Amino acid sequence: MKPEQRISISVSNLVLIISSFLLLIILWQVRGLIVLLMVAVVLAASISPLVNLTERIRLPRWLGVIIVYLTLICGLIGVILTIGPPVFEQIERLLRQLPLFSESISDNFEDFVSSLIQNPPDWINQLFDTKSVTSWVIRSSQQLLLRSYSLTKGVLGGVVSLILALFISGYMVSDSKTLITSIVKLFPQPWDKRLEHQVLPVTQRMGGYIRGRIIVSAILGVATTTGLGFLGLQDFSLGLGAIAAVTNLIPFIGPILGAIPALIVAIAKGGWLFLWVIILYYIIQNVETYVLDPLLVGSSVGVHPLYQLLSVLVGIQLLGIIGALIVPPWFAGSAALVENLYLKPKLEAEKIQSIVTNNGDHNPPSLTS
């Protein structure tokens, strides 16, 4: 008969388990604040190089933060005042006419099917019910927006959360040295110094990603507006270009979301316009994938596109649109941390071990008399 095996748990392990459980509960309760801090860190990493430039001309760091923020805010307000009214007017008109476009698409498709089949079966009508497809796209977009908003409204509301994130990021940048020192002190030696040395490459990855995506999105927004206007969609080109620019901030999935409204309008207009719009978005997407992203984003991220796609999907699943925007730069920063603290030392150790082994195997034989 086998002796009984007893599992014993020490008091320290029990306290550790209970503490970890309570910590998870607390983190879940303050998840909105965690998202806010994640956004603030991304913003801080994005503006840090600009603040460093002001510091080089002997300005106090806190003053450089104020100057950079005021310049960016004034520039954003100027852009909104310049192109904002026509953009919002076109988007509002597009949303107002969307049911008409959907009905026109449905009628055109029914005529097309009738021309091919005199009595189409019911399953064809159900499969290609464009009204249902359009309503599904709208409902899915609304749910995505609601999920994003629900994770931030608990702090004080979406707009107030953004303002708080700006203030927190400004404080992080202005007093970054003290903040970094106080955080790394929590880790034992030699990890405190190692982590302190990784702050710069991690922030460069995160900030480079955001800056690159903003520049790429702005370029594609202008290109989309110009191309759609050339194709004869001047009534909606500015609004559709703005939609494409905003959605393109989300890699991989964003360009598809941005193309859907333009394709709906093109189908409703009829003729060959639908084909030309597809060609336009296909060309723009290829220019982004093979030219702009490698130059402006890929060089700063250093992460395989598959991992970038997975980070976007995880961000959407967890936090909605906000997650799709902030999880990829956090993933890029984490990748830099893993690369510098684990992969590079591991490869160097293997290289040294290989050299030692090879030298041992190829020692010249000793001379005997």
Side-chain angles (χ1 to χ4, degrees):
M1 183 175 180
K2 294 182 179 180
E4 291 186 8
Q5 293 182 353
R6 296 181 180 180
I7 300 175
S8 60
I9 300 178
S10 63
V11 177
S12 59
N13 290 336
L14 183 60
V15 171
L16 180 61
I17 294 173
I18 296 175
S19 302
S20 302
F21 181 72
L22 292 177
L23 180 61
L24 290 176
I25 294 177
I26 294 173
L27 292 176
W28 176 255
Q29 294 297 325
V30 297
R31 60 189 182 278
L33 181 59
I34 294 175
V35 173
L36 181 66
L37 291 175
M38 292 176 65
V39 175
V41 171
V42 172
L43 291 175
S46 302
I47 69 166
S48 182
L50 299 176
V51 177
N52 293 337
L53 289 177
T54 62
E55 197 174 20
R56 291 177 185 173
I57 59 177
R58 301 180 182 277
L59 287 178
R61 194 166 179 84
W62 63 268
L63 182 59
V65 172
I66 294 176
I67 292 174
V68 169
Y69 267 122
L70 288 179
T71 303
L72 294 177
I73 291 173
C74 290
L76 181 62
I77 292 175
V79 172
I80 292 176
L81 293 178
T82 303
I83 66 173
V87 167
F88 293 139
E89 189 272 332
Q90 289 187 11
I91 293 177
E92 182 183 3
R93 193 192 323 149
L94 176 63
L95 294 175
R96 193 169 55 247
Q97 296 184 12
L98 193 60
L100 299 177
F101 289 151
S102 177
E103 185 176 354
S104 175
I105 293 171
S106 180
D107 294 339
N108 291 336
F109 184 78
E110 289 177 1
D111 294 339
F112 174 74
V113 173
S114 299
S115 64
L116 297 178
I117 306 174
Q118 294 298 326
N119 295 315
D122 294 336
W123 67 270
I124 291 183
N125 294 327
Q126 294 175 359
L127 182 62
F128 296 100
D129 188 356
T130 54
K131 293 180 181 179
S132 300
V133 173
T134 304
S135 62
W136 175 81
V137 171
I138 295 174
R139 287 197 307 270
S140 300
S141 302
Q142 290 174 345
Q143 291 175 0
L144 195 60
L145 290 172
L146 288 175
R147 175 181 294 182
S148 302
Y149 178 71
S150 64
L151 288 162
T152 56
K153 68 179 181 180
V155 180
L156 283 177
V159 177
V160 178
S161 296
L162 180 59
I163 296 175
L164 285 175
L166 290 173
F167 276 107
I168 294 173
S169 63
Y171 176 78
M172 288 178 177
V173 177
S174 62
D175 199 19
S176 58
K177 294 181 180 179
T178 304
L179 181 62
I180 293 169
T181 302
S182 62
I183 292 176
V184 298
K185 281 182 178 179
L186 300 175
F187 297 89
Q189 294 182 351
W191 286 101
D192 52 351
K193 295 299 181 182
R194 291 179 182 177
L195 292 175
E196 187 176 2
H197 293 156
Q198 297 308 312
V199 172
L200 181 59
V202 168
T203 54
Q204 285 178 342
R205 288 273 185 100
M206 297 177 69
Y209 176 88
I210 292 296
R211 291 190 298 270
R213 287 243 60 91
I214 292 175
I215 296 174
V216 170
S217 298
I219 294 174
L220 295 185
V222 173
T224 302
T225 300
T226 305
L228 292 176
F230 180 78
L231 294 177
L233 294 177
Q234 293 88 351
D235 294 341
F236 301 104
S237 61
L238 201 56
L240 293 173
I243 292 174
V246 173
T247 57
N248 196 77
L249 291 171
I250 306 173
F252 302 104
I253 301 174
I256 299 175
L257 297 177
I260 291 175
L263 294 176
I264 292 175
V265 175
I267 295 174
K269 295 287 185 179
W272 292 95
L273 184 59
F274 174 73
L275 178 61
W276 290 115
V277 170
I278 288 182
I279 294 175
L280 172 66
Y281 275 88
Y282 178 77
I283 293 174
I284 291 176
Q285 180 60 31
N286 277 272
V287 170
E288 176 194 2
T289 302
Y290 297 107
V291 179
L292 297 178
D293 273 352
L295 289 175
L296 301 175
V297 181
S299 59
S300 60
V301 174
V303 179
H304 193 277
L306 176 60
Y307 297 143
Q308 294 184 44
L309 176 59
L310 292 177
S311 66
V312 172
L313 296 177
V314 170
I316 291 177
Q317 186 67 27
L318 295 178
L319 306 174
I321 293 177
I322 296 176
L325 294 175
I326 65 173
V327 170
W330 272 90
F331 186 84
S334 302
L337 206 61
V338 173
E339 179 183 344
N340 295 330
L341 292 181
Y342 174 70
L343 293 180
K344 286 185 178 179
K346 175 177 175 291
L347 293 176
E348 290 178 1
E350 291 176 351
K351 184 178 180 180
I352 294 174
Q353 182 65 31
S354 176
I355 293 175
V356 171
T357 304
N358 291 334
N359 289 339
D361 293 342
H362 295 86
N363 283 332
S366 59
L367 297 176
T368 58
S369 55

